[in-house]
Amino acid sequence: MTIKPKQRFRNRTKLITLAGLVFTSALTGCASSAPSDNIEGSNHEVIQKQEKTITVVDTESTAASTAIDVVKIDELKGIRGMDWLGEDKLIIDKENREMKPVTVEGEQRYPHNMYIHSLNGGEQTGDNDMLLKSGAVNQGFAMLSPDKKYMFYKETEETTGRGYIMDLVTRETAAVGMEQISAQEGSWNGNEQIVFPVMTGQILSSNIQGKTDLITITKDITVYNVIQRGANVYYIGINNNLFLYNTVSKQTKRLDKRVIWLIPSPDGKQLALVKRTSDTEMELTITDSSLTKKVSLAKGTQVFGTSWSPDGTELAYTVSSETGGVKGVFVADAVSGKSTQISVDVEYASDPLKWSPSGHKIMTTTGKIQDNKYVFSTYIITLKS
């Protein structure tokens, strides 16, 4: 049987997309065990909330200088947090109930649009959220430029969509080329350029006016996790091979294999690398720019959501094990590798974790099926400064 390029793209997307509209069965099938209130030899704090108890577990001893102290955890129901616009403002995705709903499988569904959400009121229903752009097509997967002036997002259908860049001051938008983009793909290279792969295996860039340029044509039909730092463009191709393309020399070389994700540190000098070590295990490590391993942070059936703190000293990530013994949100010291587990009501993360500009808050989003559709909740974890 011949597999068409578009079909291959969709098959690969289903395997790697933990951030998509439908969650992978590998995550949902993992067993879960609630943390005990009697954890011998560990530090924990129980936060009582209405109809809920959240336990914050510190896996390191009180003497560890890298211990993470959690001040509070707020839940935002019905909201999918996308990115931080400021220390107390989020870009979110939620239903626009001012639009006409459509009927899907007997259920009325409203299009999802992008809003600005303020955290100043603590836990909110979002009644005062500011709509960025009304639309009948689902919007989502937004990421802000480092200076917070522009927003890259997609109008999506299933796992792909059309890319747009919005000026957050004027609200004017520019379409990013004509190609369909995988919903979770794209990354900022500075404040005025987006780099992303398309279904043909090409890697493109776009300026904030939507003008696209070809960076390179890869030998792979599908490419993902494209990130540019200076002249270096990292990407993962078919069979999880990690490549580096240099825009000056125009040369491509394979750096590693069995790589699931690559996340450079803010200064580009270190790499957070998620690799498959066996059919049932992944490992998160920190390496230098030449991929020499410096420290191992976590192993599990799934490692996802990895995100560097703004100053590059810490990593937030989620991990789950086949037995359910290791599961949840973790924050690790990037030098020592010591990790702190933060137990919230998150069975699995739907999107990469996001740090606030100050590095004192972490946003994580999860979802569950209710009334035959996915309903999202976003948690804001406030750390002691």
Side-chain angles (χ1 to χ4, degrees):
M1 179 180 66
T2 301
I3 300 177
K4 297 179 180 179
K6 189 171 184 179
Q7 182 180 349
R8 289 181 181 175
F9 176 82
R10 286 178 175 172
N11 289 343
R12 192 273 304 166
T13 301
K14 289 178 182 179
L15 289 174
I16 68 166
T17 302
L18 303 181
L21 298 175
V22 179
F23 300 104
T24 59
S25 59
L27 282 179
T28 56
C30 291
S32 175
S33 59
S36 168
D37 284 344
N38 295 304
I39 306 174
E40 184 176 355
S42 68
N43 307 309
H44 70 286
E45 173 188 1
V46 177
I47 301 175
Q48 297 290 342
K49 300 178 66 180
Q50 186 177 2
E51 301 179 349
K52 188 176 295 164
T53 299
I54 296 175
T55 304
V56 179
V57 182
D58 183 357
T59 59
E60 302 300 326
S61 67
T62 55
S65 60
T66 56
I68 305 296
D69 292 325
V70 175
V71 176
K72 63 175 181 174
I73 302 172
D74 292 320
E75 180 183 6
L76 310 174
K77 296 180 180 179
I79 286 174
R80 187 174 187 176
M82 295 279 99
D83 208 341
W84 294 86
L85 183 58
E87 195 64 21
D88 295 304
K89 285 186 178 180
L90 306 176
I91 299 294
I92 66 166
D93 151 3
K94 71 172 186 176
E95 289 182 334
N96 183 353
R97 290 186 168 264
E98 299 299 320
M99 298 294 293
K100 182 179 179 180
V102 296
T103 301
V104 180
E105 299 179 352
E107 298 286 337
Q108 283 196 331
R109 298 186 184 179
Y110 294 88
H112 282 240
N113 288 172
M114 311 301 300
Y115 294 78
I116 296 176
H117 177 87
S118 174
L119 294 175
N120 289 329
E123 292 186 36
Q124 301 179 37
T125 59
D127 294 337
N128 297 319
D129 293 337
M130 182 184 298
L131 178 66
L132 286 172
K133 183 180 180 182
S134 180
V137 179
N138 285 330
Q139 305 165 5
F141 301 93
M143 55 188 73
L144 299 185
S145 58
D147 62 7
K148 311 297 183 184
K149 292 181 179 180
Y150 298 96
M151 178 176 74
F152 178 59
Y153 70 99
K154 289 97 173 180
E155 290 186 351
T156 60
E157 182 179 350
E158 296 183 351
T159 59
T160 63
R162 181 90 180 272
Y164 294 86
I165 294 178
M166 176 185 288
D167 184 319
L168 290 174
V169 175
T170 65
R171 305 290 172 83
E172 294 179 354
T173 61
V176 176
M178 299 296 293
E179 298 276 359
Q180 289 285 305
I181 306 170
S182 178
Q184 75 277 13
E185 287 301 322
S187 63
W188 285 95
N189 177 34
N191 291 314
E192 297 188 354
Q193 185 186 56
I194 282 284
V195 294
F196 57 93
V198 294
M199 290 166 47
T200 58
Q202 295 178 330
I203 297 177
L204 306 177
S205 67
S206 172
N207 64 14
I208 55 177
Q209 287 80 35
K211 181 182 180 298
T212 59
D213 292 301
L214 175 68
I215 294 178
T216 186
I217 301 174
T218 74
K219 295 181 180 180
D220 291 313
I221 294 176
T222 58
V223 172
Y224 71 99
N225 194 193
V226 175
I227 297 173
Q228 183 171 0
R229 293 292 183 270
N232 292 327
V233 180
Y234 299 94
Y235 67 92
I236 299 174
I238 203 164
N239 297 323
N240 298 111
N241 287 309
L242 173 64
F243 293 93
L244 173 65
Y245 172 77
N246 187 278
T247 58
V248 176
S249 68
K250 309 297 182 184
Q251 298 296 311
T252 300
K253 63 178 179 180
R254 191 180 77 167
L255 298 179
D256 208 345
K257 56 185 179 180
R258 308 193 81 183
V259 176
I260 308 300
W261 301 106
L262 172 77
I263 308 96
S265 61
D267 62 9
K269 295 180 179 179
Q270 297 186 98
L271 303 172
L273 196 69
V274 178
K275 287 186 61 175
R276 184 166 293 286
T277 54
S278 71
D279 291 341
T280 59
E281 186 179 76
M282 299 177 185
E283 181 182 20
L284 170 62
T285 62
I286 295 177
T287 75
D288 60 20
S289 58
S290 64
L291 295 189
T292 300
K293 183 189 294 188
K294 298 172 68 176
V295 62
S296 175
L297 298 181
K299 293 181 179 181
T301 307
Q302 294 285 346
V303 180
F304 181 66
T306 309
S307 176
W308 289 90
S309 62
D311 63 4
T313 63
E314 294 172 316
L315 273 170
Y317 60 93
T318 65
V319 62
S320 61
S321 67
E322 199 168 31
T323 61
V326 177
K327 189 167 186 175
V329 177
F330 293 78
V331 177
D333 180 270
V335 176
S336 69
K338 294 181 179 179
S339 294
T340 297
Q341 182 181 7
I342 302 171
S343 292
V344 294
D345 293 352
V346 177
E347 294 183 15
Y348 42 84
S350 59
D351 300 300
L353 281 68
K354 297 280 187 175
W355 292 80
S356 68
S358 71
H360 296 150
K361 297 175 183 177
I362 301 171
M363 174 172 62
T364 182
T365 301
T366 189
K368 61 183 67 175
I369 296 178
Q370 293 180 3
D371 299 326
N372 201 33
K373 64 180 180 180
Y374 274 100
V375 177
F376 291 93
S377 288
T378 294
Y379 292 88
I380 304 299
I381 303 166
T382 301
L383 308 177
K384 186 176 180 181
S385 58

